[in-house]
DNA sequence: TAGTGGTCTAGACCACATG
DNA sequence: ATGTGGTCTAGACCACTAG
């Protein structure tokens, strides 16, 4: 079933998120109180609060001292990243899990098309939040030296770039992002469980280290309604 | 001096921040461990961690399990764009001309849908580069106080936000951008001179002044192939 | 006044990084 | 092997909101 290594508070957050996005809780509805969550999940208050913190940071809920916790409005469908820090721009919901479909060594033609040189491992998978419909069909090319094994990447609950930085002495210095729109093909739509002909955001990101080497290249297809890209830019002074 | 009501963890965070920004701790330096902070400030580990969490969220420090906490080598990451100014986000707008189709006062329903309050003028038009096919179907809501007249906006060869800043004493401090994908409807496709059913990037941007007031709201439909969104994010300051 | 979320303590065990 | 940060428990008191 679920990854037993995943912290309890993320599991709880995932569950609550599912109940919110599925409509069990609607915008404006009160969420269970912290003590209620403690009882329901048999967890301490700290764990309940960590779960709620995640949802609050993602803008899914609003908390008010003395009053309670309610579902924020307008966030039932999309997963937005309102903050401006490096990781949150790139990620889907914090708990989005990579579900591996396929893993092979990238062939020469593919690499040439992507302007990559060197050896790369190609992972194909879905990004899911809880057991909801996938938010993305994801293809990731990882430089061979940094590639995780299949067991590691499957059910990875963070970004691949974050995993690489934690496990290898490399630092991503720059990300180039390219976004356009496409209409999904039949096979893609099937994997994502949407009708053929649905529109999707297509993103391609190149993650480079200080030397300009592409450590990671990620291509994603996000069907409309499951994902939208949000960011805030502040003016430089 | 210090607000005595302020939570202890914020006081600690404030103190640590001061030590970092004053240069007592330099980028790459290890910060005191959690236990060391507990002793130094006579606080529990929870309180120390809350303080560190604040600094980590602000991008001032980096934490790695097992390794420790160090001062980050850049301040919070910003979106580095080639030119470093707002115009670069608009990309097409720099060389694209706004061709006015329609101009009316926005009605109450429309404003409510967009969460706008106050009076706004709604301009509909195409963005063209030279006499090529249009790169966008554009709807712009301008706060009444700043709205250009029809003659001015038609064939405007810059962004509307730039025009506003040049002609009114207002400064855009923040832009919130939302991007998703759609399939064009017949009337939209016709205007853009593409087949019905073409995919398009849909962007919505809110331009706010220092007070948070939405000065300008722009919605665009960019047909695939004519426009793609590219940006580069750098980790360093 | 009762109940909520906010802050805080004092423990504990674990995963991970480094020597 | 040691020490770090990550997770988690079981308490407590306080600030605030609402009936």
């Amino acid at each position: 079933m679920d990854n037993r290594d995943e912290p309890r508070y993320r599991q709880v957050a995932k569950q609550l998120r599912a109940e919110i996005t599925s409509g069990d809780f609607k915008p404006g509805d009160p969420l269970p109180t912290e003590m209620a969550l403690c009882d329901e999940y048999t967890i301490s208050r700290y764990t309940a609060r960590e779960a709620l913190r995640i949802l609050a940071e993602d803008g899914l809920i609003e908390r008010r001292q003395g009053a309670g916790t309610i579902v924020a409005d307008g966030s039932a469908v999309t997963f937005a990243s309102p903050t401006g820090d490096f990781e949150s721009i790139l990620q889907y919901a914090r708990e989005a899990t990579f579900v591996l479909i396929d893993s092979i060594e990238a062939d020469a033609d593919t690499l040439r098309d992507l302007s990559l040189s060197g050896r790369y491992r190609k992972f194909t998978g879905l990004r899911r939040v809880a057991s909801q419909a996938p938010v993305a069909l994801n293809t990731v090319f990882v430089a061979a030296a940094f590639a995780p094994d299949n067991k590691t990447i499957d059910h990875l609950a963070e970004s691949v770039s974050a995993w690489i930085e934690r496990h290898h002495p490399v630092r991503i210095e720059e990300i180039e992002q390219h976004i356009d729109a496409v209409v999904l093909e039949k096979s893609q739509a099937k994997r994502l469980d949407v009708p053929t002909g649905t529109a999707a955001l297509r993103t391609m990101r190149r993650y480079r280290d200080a030397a300009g080497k592409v450590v990671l290249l990620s291509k994603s297809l996000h069907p409309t309604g499951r994902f939208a890209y949000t960011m805030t830019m502040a003016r430089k002074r």
Side-chain angles (χ1 to χ4, degrees), chain A:
Chain A
M1 282 265 246
D2 265 356
N3 189 351
R4 204 159 291 159
D5 289 349
E6 191 170 40
R8 193 82 179 94
Y9 66 84
R10 280 202 211 173
Q11 297 176 28
V12 174
K14 196 179 282 190
Q15 175 61 30
L16 288 172
R17 182 191 294 275
E19 290 174 20
I20 291 171
T21 57
S22 73
D24 292 354
F25 293 107
K26 287 167 190 159
D29 283 357
L31 229 61
T33 65
E34 294 181 353
M35 285 315 296
L37 292 174
C38 292
D39 292 344
E40 181 179 350
Y41 291 97
T42 320
I43 54 180
S44 72
R45 206 176 146 211
Y46 169 87
T47 304
R49 282 178 65 78
E50 284 298 298
L52 293 171
R53 193 200 295 260
I54 289 177
L55 301 179
E57 282 177 359
D58 285 352
L60 272 162
I61 61 174
E62 291 172 13
R63 319 200 66 198
R64 271 169 59 225
Q65 181 174 174
T69 302
I70 60 170
V71 176
D73 55 343
S75 44
V77 186
T78 60
F79 307 115
S81 312
T83 62
D85 74 75
F86 202 57
E87 287 301 322
S88 57
I89 300 166
L90 314 167
Q91 278 165 292
Y92 325 106
R94 202 148 313 176
E95 307 92 1
T97 299
F98 188 91
V99 180
L100 184 64
I101 295 174
D102 188 38
S103 159
I104 60 167
E105 167 97 19
D107 63 52
D109 284 351
T110 303
L111 294 178
R112 200 182 48 246
D113 286 348
L114 296 169
S115 303
L116 294 176
S117 58
R119 296 182 53 239
Y120 286 81
R121 182 134 203 105
K122 174 184 173 182
F123 299 97
T124 305
L126 295 170
R127 282 282 181 179
R128 288 182 180 279
V129 176
S131 46
Q132 306 267 305
V135 295
L137 177 57
N138 198 359
T139 309
V140 182
F141 297 81
V142 186
F146 307 123
D149 57 30
N150 292 354
K151 214 177 283 183
T152 302
I153 198 173
D154 191 24
H155 292 86
L156 187 69
E158 65 182 334
S159 68
V160 178
S161 64
W163 182 89
I164 291 175
E165 287 204 333
R166 281 222 330 281
H167 291 82
H168 294 281
V170 64
R171 182 183 162 84
I172 310 291
E173 292 291 346
E174 189 184 272
I175 301 177
E176 180 193 324
Q177 179 163 238
H178 190 86
I179 303 175
D180 62 2
V182 295
V183 173
L184 292 175
E185 296 168 9
K186 190 174 176 184
S187 63
Q188 297 165 338
K190 192 177 172 189
R191 282 240 151 92
L192 288 164
D193 195 21
V194 295
T196 303
T198 298
L201 268 189
R202 181 170 62 179
T203 69
M204 181 165 77
R205 289 193 284 262
R206 291 167 201 272
Y207 297 69
R208 294 193 167 86
D209 65 12
K213 156 95 176 158
V214 176
V215 172
L216 176 65
L217 189 152
S218 167
K219 295 169 71 174
S220 294
L221 289 171
H222 301 285
T224 292
R226 300 242 185 95
F227 179 85
Y229 193 86
T230 300
M231 62 184 179
T232 302
M233 289 152 282
R235 184 164 204 149
K236 290 181 181 174
R237 309 222 173 228

